[in-house]
Amino acid sequence: MSAREIEAAARERLQQAVGYRFRDAGLLLRALTHRSAGHDNNERLEFLGDALLNFTVAAEIFRLRPKAPEGDLSRLRASVVREETLALAARRVPLSEAMRFGPGELRTGGHKRASSLADGLEALVGGVYLDGGIEPAQALCLRLLAPELASLPEVGSLKDFKTRLQEVLQAQSRPLPEYSVLSEDGPAHRRNFKVRCQLADVALATEAEAHSRRIAEQRAASMMLDAITSSEKKKHA
């Protein structure tokens, strides 16, 4: 078989595995093209798929945990829609075999990297939405993450954002963040706290507000995690 035939066969296996067949073959190809492989890549579809995954999983968790408060729902969603979980879902289907990477990315093992697989999965969901609409896209999200949704953890077992941020920084041998209260106002029964999370080794800080200092710190830590993830993506771009 030629290289083109091998690629086409991989795309066929992927469509069979995920239970959706693209009407627009060009859209499928774009969804599977890593930015290292060319200008017409899957980054925009990744943006779209990320939003669809978050919404679909949020709606399903809302249904599955009818008595859970907003904070618990957010933590459960974050436990499902995260890089490690999406990469695991991508490995359950032959996604890496069907994706297109540039030579440099292949040499450095980019086709096996969790971030690349998670991004590719998001792009695939975004492509399904454009190709077939919201219903097949949401159905795909639920199929891909069915094992995780069927075994949602107890909320108390989930690590909070401050703990996760601490572990990320420690893994990089970086100093721990500093939290400070910028302001505190409002009546005694409903105080409002504005908190800053500051990294000690770079000029990067996030700020968040809540009706308790603890929740405000968690929100600031969550925002810092997002900022660090975004910075890492830009480095590898």
Side-chain angles (χ1 to χ4, degrees), residues 17 85-95 143-148:
T85 305
L86 297 182
L88 180 63
R91 294 186 181 103
R92 288 197 289 259
V93 296
L95 181 64
R143 282 198 302 273
L144 290 169
L145 296 171
E148 287 73 25

Side-chain angles (χ1 to χ4, degrees), residues 61-216:
I61 291 175
F62 187 88
R63 183 185 71 82
L64 292 170
R65 297 291 175 90
K67 296 182 179 180
E70 181 273 338
D72 289 355
L73 293 173
S74 294
R75 292 172 70 183
L76 286 167
R77 180 188 60 185
S79 75
V80 176
V81 187
R82 59 193 180 100
E83 182 179 288
E84 296 85 354
T85 305
L86 297 182
L88 180 63
R91 294 186 181 103
R92 288 197 289 259
V93 296
L95 181 64
S96 62
E97 298 175 18
M99 287 188 68
R100 303 170 71 210
F101 293 91
E105 197 73 10
L106 288 171
R107 281 196 303 271
T108 58
H111 60 297
K112 298 180 181 179
R113 194 175 294 130
S115 59
S116 299
L117 293 174
D119 292 347
L121 195 75
E122 291 174 342
L124 183 65
V125 170
V128 169
Y129 168 71
L130 292 181
D131 190 71
I134 187 69
E135 290 186 5
Q138 288 189 289
L140 176 60
C141 292
L142 295 177
R143 282 198 302 273
L144 290 169
L145 296 171
E148 287 73 25
L149 290 167
S151 57
L152 288 173
E154 292 302 317
V155 176
S157 69
L158 297 174
K159 295 178 181 177
D160 61 37
F161 291 114
K162 288 181 67 175
T163 302
R164 288 166 58 190
L165 176 59
Q166 177 177 318
E167 290 179 349
V168 167
L169 294 172
Q170 287 178 329
Q172 299 174 359
S173 300
R174 299 173 63 180
L176 298 181
E178 298 174 358
Y179 298 90
S180 57
V181 178
L182 299 179
S183 65
E184 178 182 348
D185 52 41
H189 68 281
R190 195 166 176 79
R191 303 294 287 170
N192 187 70
F193 294 84
K194 186 175 183 179
V195 168
R196 172 180 290 163
C197 175
Q198 174 76 57
L199 294 188
D201 56 346
V202 294
L204 182 60
T206 56
E207 297 177 5
E209 295 184 48
H211 292 301
S212 81
R213 177 174 177 173
R214 181 185 64 81
I215 295 176

Side-chain angles (χ1 to χ4, degrees), residues 1-10:
M1 295 177 66
S2 67
R4 180 171 294 182
E5 289 173 330
I6 292 173
E7 290 181 0

